[in-house]
């Protein structure tokens, strides 16, 4: 009985001392949570892509009969579809993005107007743009995976100029293929929808200036000289694939 009482008293004493011992333990040290990491889109790297859209070229023809002044023959819009590709490189510093790009497109822009005298007459002048290229630099501002940019540089078009008899549609004079150089300015809005993929819509205006063109008949006789001015407006949708880190860590 005595041993039982001693064991009971010991258990009671042990249970009373346990909370006190726990209270005497040092508090757990506070550990600060790691800072949050935000994923930031990085536009740097090489990219390649495809584009397609619509274009319209404004063409005005003047017949050259020196020493007489040029004789205005009227204007027309050569419109149609286009498809092609682009390759470039961008580098980002802060929120600013800089880049260079080369673009080449097949095109089917064509239009015509009657002339001598316009809008109807003996002849119909026709302009075709078969292809064009753009070589531009870019400056942009990025909001994470959204990029607004402007661009400017050189442009080249491949053209053909034909002149038909209005009444019959028979070819009267033709220039063959002609290459014309000029300038371009544009703006685009691009959105990164996946780690290395982006889509954009772009507008470009090409200043192709005036150029003197010699038209010859199918048999090469009686060539005529025309001064043709040309400006081109383009709207394209673009998809790009970029090599480079899609995101960077920002604390």
């Amino acid at each position: 009985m005595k041993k039982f009482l001693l064991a009971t008293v010991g258990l009671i004493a042990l249970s009373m001392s346990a909370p006190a011992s726990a209270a005497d333990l040092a508090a757990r040290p506070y550990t600060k949570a790691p800072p949050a990491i935000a994923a930031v889109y990085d536009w740097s790297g090489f990219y390649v892509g495809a584009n397609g859209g619509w274009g319209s070229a404004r063409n005005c023809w003047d017949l050259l009969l020196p020493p007489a002044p040029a004789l205005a023959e009227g204007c027309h819009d050569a419109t149609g579809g286009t498809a092609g590709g682009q390759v470039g490189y961008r580098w980002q510093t802060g929120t600013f993005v800089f880049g260079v790009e080369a673009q080449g497109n097949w095109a089917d822009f064509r239009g015509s107007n009657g002339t001598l005298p316009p809008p109807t007459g003996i002849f119909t002048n026709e302009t075709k743009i078969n292809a064009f290229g753009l070589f531009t630099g870019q400056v942009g501002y990025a909001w994470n995976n959204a990029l607004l940019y402007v661009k400017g540089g050189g442009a080249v078009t491949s053209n053909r100029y034909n002149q038909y008899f209005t009444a019959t549609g028979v070819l009267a004079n033709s220039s063959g293929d002609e290459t014309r150089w000029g300038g371009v300015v544009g703006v685009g809005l691009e959105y990164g929808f996946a780690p290395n993929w982006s889509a954009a819509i772009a507008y470009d205006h090409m200043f192709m200036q005036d150029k003197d063109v010699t038209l010859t008949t199918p048999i090469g006789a009686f060539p005529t000289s025309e001064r043709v001015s040309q400006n081109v407006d383009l709207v394209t949708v673009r998809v790009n694939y970029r090599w480079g880190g899609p995101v960077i860590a920002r604390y």
Side-chain angles (χ1 to χ4, degrees):
M1 184 66 177
K2 184 176 180 180
K3 291 181 179 181
F4 177 76
L5 292 174
L6 289 173
T8 303
V9 171
L11 289 173
I12 294 173
L14 181 62
S15 63
M16 293 178 64
S17 65
S21 298
D24 292 338
L25 292 176
R28 287 184 69 184
Y30 172 74
T31 302
K32 185 177 179 181
I37 299 176
V40 179
Y41 204 84
D42 184 9
W43 289 94
S44 299
F46 289 96
Y47 64 90
V48 63
N51 72 81
W54 175 89
S56 178
R58 184 67 172 173
N59 302 274
C60 294
W61 292 43
D62 296 323
L63 178 63
L64 301 179
L65 297 170
L71 177 62
E73 298 183 64
C75 303
H76 59 261
D77 294 325
T79 60
T82 181
Q86 62 274 349
V87 60
Y89 179 78
R90 288 179 175 141
W91 61 96
Q92 182 170 354
T93 173
T95 56
F96 290 95
V97 179
F98 305 90
V100 291
E101 181 182 276
Q103 176 179 336
N105 276 51
W106 163 87
D108 185 23
F109 306 160
R110 63 179 66 198
S112 62
N113 69 279
T115 184
L116 294 177
T120 60
I122 299 173
F123 296 106
T124 294
N125 293 340
E126 180 187 61
T127 304
K128 297 180 180 179
I129 296 181
N130 303 310
F132 64 86
L134 306 177
F135 309 92
T136 56
Q138 300 178 0
V139 178
Y141 187 88
W143 293 269
N144 200 9
N145 60 331
L147 173 65
L148 178 66
Y149 62 88
V150 295
K151 65 180 182 179
V156 59
T157 58
S158 175
N159 306 291
R160 179 181 287 270
Y161 307 104
N162 296 321
Q163 196 171 70
Y164 298 91
F165 290 107
T166 302
T168 63
V170 174
L171 182 66
N173 298 287
S174 177
S175 70
D177 293 324
E178 177 256 348
T179 300
R180 179 187 295 238
W181 288 88
V184 61
V185 294
V187 62
L189 179 61
E190 192 159 349
Y191 181 78
F193 62 88
N196 293 90
W197 290 91
S198 60
I201 184 169
Y203 166 76
D204 298 291
H205 182 78
M206 300 161 61
F207 304 88
M208 305 311 294
Q209 308 179 56
D210 300 339
K211 186 169 183 179
D212 294 349
V213 180
T214 299
L215 304 179
T216 59
T217 67
I219 61 174
F222 309 110
T224 61
S225 294
E226 302 278 351
R227 178 165 296 157
V228 182
S229 64
Q230 186 176 86
N231 291 283
V232 185
D233 292 294
L234 303 169
V235 177
T236 54
V237 175
R238 302 150 57 92
V239 177
N240 289 327
Y241 179 82
R242 186 183 68 262
W243 289 269
V247 294
I248 58 176
R250 177 178 292 175
Y251 292 87

